[in-house]
Amino acid sequence: MATGDSPGESLSIEDVVAAVAAGRISERDAVVAISPMAVEAALHAQFDGGGMAIATGIGASPGAAVGQVYFDVEACLDAADRGELVILAADATSPADEIAMRLAEGIITAKGGIASHAAVVARGWGIPAVCGADMITFSAGLMHIGDEHDGGPTVAAGDTISIDGATGEILLGDLGAGGGGGSDALDTLLGWADDLRAGRVGIRANADSGADAAHARHLGAEGVGLCRTEHMFLGDRLPLVQNVILAANDAAAATALQALGEMQRTDFIDLLEAMDGLPVTIRLLDPPLHEFLPDATELAVAEATGNLGPEDAMLAAAVHQWCEQNPMLGTRGVRLAIVRDGLYRMQVKSLLAAIGERTDAGGTPIVGIMIPLVSDVAELRMVKTWIAEEIAAVEPTRLGQIEIGTMIETPRAALTSAQIAPHADFFSFGTNDLTQLTWGFSRDDVEARVISRYLDLGLIEANPFERLDRIGVGALVKSAIAAGRVANPELEIGVCGEHGGDPSSIEFFVGAGVDYVSCSPYRVPVARLALAQAILGLAEFA
């Protein structure tokens, strides 16, 4: 390698591609020379200049954004209709907010962190986000920095602000975001990275719609590793999910399921068409109830003030019945399906109908059905029986290739993987929940307050929701892979948590022997480079 072209120096993507073209370095050297973070910077807008941050949170989704800030869905929609660039700022977000999140230039939340609803959705859509800015409070159309009574900065609805989703900074005014979008040099570099990892470890995307899947494929994804089917029911579709959960009797549940199923069928067709010929893993519904039900506190206030109509009163009673102290550990995933009979059968019927339509149209659907939050093999066996019964009712020639697997996201599932593996075609590690449950950290509550303090004191080296904890969570992943493959040598292993897009975590997963990683579409290019570098690193020390 020529002087000045060593991997240790800070070279741009354009520099190394030019150096390969000039014959000064090899394609392998070029792949090693570039940091995955340089790929991330090339994909996302950056600020033209600097500024003074008025608040700082967790950089939850990279990129720079400028816009006029608003604090609720309706205000964001109205502003967008007026042609304004919008930044949504809120205490936290839920699926009910996603109609505004999708059109926002950037997102700010006072609560949550790298694995919160706002962060996961923002990364999936490539929207800059700052989460866990817990010095922010809201009142009467204002965003206060610090206590609203201590004279700190105040931002009004409609004010222009800038946010940096990499550093977590929130700044006043327009700092002039520009750049991003990739380049021909980046495409060339990633092509070399793909050649180096070919046949070793695959890269898939977490995508919940045909449009997201098509974009992920454009960015280099080789399939969908996680389709969160609950994300298909947002905005004006949200009441459909609520009707299923809150149905007063079997007849009401059946009616709600039928409406839900028809929408699922059309969404599945779009998704399978976008990824035709590539594997698509469909996760059956896993809605944490607090994200998909009306807010119990707001309903209680309305009831106390006499502003609750007869229909709302019935809704409040149902919400109260389903209210949980810790919904992330409550009636979600496979547990909800067992309690609300027919839910997963409906989804499977819709999926099989979509597969049949794609097959009839000349498509090549390759589908995995993934069962979430399994903790015991008995849960998996029960749901597999339901799926088998639905498959048996369909003409086999219309089904294409279907596999059935499970997420490994509870410590018990990891520890009992030898019992689960013989009944699964694949495992996919859901590292967000596995991290939460292994550490005993609430991923929505601890990042800004607890984890930031732990990092300051040196108690932990990195945020475990951002970089995989190799000693604890990683040990569970490694042991589950080893035991699972002994019990089922044909078992396919993937990762679909957000760690699948983190270079350090990817290095660990490659060493642990996964078959693929899956991440948000906009992190696919980062993962492509990180996978190649991890494979080269293993070869160097083999």
Side-chain angles (χ1 to χ4, degrees), residues 18 59-60 98 135 140 146 180 299 346 373 385 436 438 446 472 536:
E98 291 191 23
M135 70 293 296
L299 289 171
M346 172 278 296
L373 215 71
T385 299
Q436 174 173 240
T438 301
V446 303
L536 291 173

Side-chain angles (χ1 to χ4, degrees), residues 451-483:
I451 291 179
S452 61
R453 181 62 173 161
Y454 275 38
L455 289 168
D456 289 343
L457 294 172
L459 298 177
I460 55 177
E461 292 184 358
N463 181 342
F465 291 106
E466 187 171 355
R467 181 187 301 172
L468 190 79
D469 159 36
R470 300 188 181 199
I471 296 174
V473 179
L476 287 174
V477 170
K478 270 191 170 180
S479 65
I481 291 174

Side-chain angles (χ1 to χ4, degrees), residues 112-487:
I114 202 78
S116 66
H117 172 269
V120 171
V121 171
R123 284 194 298 275
W125 293 342
I127 299 170
V130 175
C131 296
D134 60 357
M135 70 293 296
I136 291 175
T137 57
F138 300 92
S139 70
L142 296 173
M143 182 171 75
H144 306 275
I145 313 302
D147 190 306
E148 62 181 281
H149 304 295
D150 69 1
T154 299
V155 179
D159 285 354
T160 298
I161 64 171
S162 300
I163 69 169
D164 189 326
T167 65
E169 292 179 314
I170 302 168
L171 310 101
L172 290 176
D174 182 347
L175 296 189
S183 65
D184 291 342
L186 176 60
D187 291 342
T188 298
L189 178 74
L190 294 179
W192 296 334
D194 292 341
D195 292 341
L196 289 168
R197 68 173 176 83
R200 296 287 299 275
V201 185
I203 173 66
R204 302 182 189 177
N206 302 340
D208 311 320
S209 70
D212 290 346
H215 189 59
R217 190 167 187 165
H218 172 73
L219 291 171
E222 299 160 347
V224 169
L226 172 64
C227 168
R228 303 176 179 94
T229 53
E230 62 275 7
H231 283 190
M232 294 177 169
F233 300 98
L234 308 169
D236 56 1
R237 291 183 173 191
L238 189 58
L240 291 174
V241 177
Q242 295 173 347
N243 290 344
V244 171
I245 296 170
L246 301 175
N249 52 55
D250 290 343
T255 300
L257 283 170
Q258 185 176 358
L260 200 67
E262 177 55 27
M263 284 193 170
Q264 288 260 268
R265 183 187 64 80
T266 58
D267 287 343
F268 288 147
I269 289 172
D270 291 343
L271 190 69
L272 295 175
E273 184 175 8
M275 280 289 174
D276 191 55
L278 296 175
V280 174
T281 303
I282 304 293
R283 184 178 74 182
L284 300 179
L285 275 168
D286 181 24
L289 295 187
H290 70 300
E291 292 186 359
F292 284 81
L293 294 181
D295 187 87
T297 302
E298 290 181 5
L299 289 171
V301 170
E303 184 175 22
T305 56
N307 294 318
L308 209 61
E311 290 187 7
D312 289 335
M314 294 176 61
L315 180 62
V319 169
H320 178 73
Q321 180 184 359
W322 282 90
C323 189
E324 297 181 327
Q325 293 297 318
N326 195 339
M328 292 298 287
L329 301 181
T331 313
R332 53 173 287 218
V334 70
R335 303 165 190 172
L336 177 62
I338 291 170
V339 170
R340 180 57 79 203
D341 189 37
L343 182 61
Y344 279 4
R345 284 184 181 273
M346 172 278 296
Q347 285 198 286
V348 173
K349 286 178 182 177
S350 298
L351 177 58
L352 296 178
I355 292 171
E357 291 193 38
R358 284 297 305 143
T359 302
D360 292 344
T364 308
I366 303 171
V367 175
I369 299 175
M370 185 155 66
I371 302 162
L373 215 71
V374 164
S375 294
D376 189 271
V377 67
E379 296 167 318
L380 177 60
R381 287 201 304 258
M382 175 177 283
V383 177
K384 279 193 69 178
T385 299
W386 300 343
I387 295 171
E389 290 171 355
E390 298 302 330
I391 288 176
V394 178
E395 173 60 43
T397 58
R398 302 182 72 232
L399 289 184
Q401 180 180 334
I402 298 177
E403 295 185 337
I404 302 171
T406 185
M407 295 190 82
I408 301 295
E409 53 188 331
T410 70
R412 193 178 192 282
L415 292 169
T416 62
S417 64
Q419 286 73 51
I420 295 174
H423 302 275
D425 295 315
F426 64 88
F427 282 172
S428 185
F429 287 92
T431 53
N432 299 346
D433 272 314
L434 189 58
T435 297
Q436 174 173 240
L437 296 172
T438 301
W439 278 88
F441 282 157
S442 167
R443 71 190 201 195
D444 289 326
D445 297 317
V446 303
E447 286 193 66
R449 186 171 301 139
V450 176
I451 291 179
S452 61
R453 181 62 173 161
Y454 275 38
L455 289 168
D456 289 343
L457 294 172
L459 298 177
I460 55 177
E461 292 184 358
N463 181 342
F465 291 106
E466 187 171 355
R467 181 187 301 172
L468 190 79
D469 159 36
R470 300 188 181 199
I471 296 174
V473 179
L476 287 174
V477 170
K478 270 191 170 180
S479 65
I481 291 174
R485 284 205 166 122
V486 168

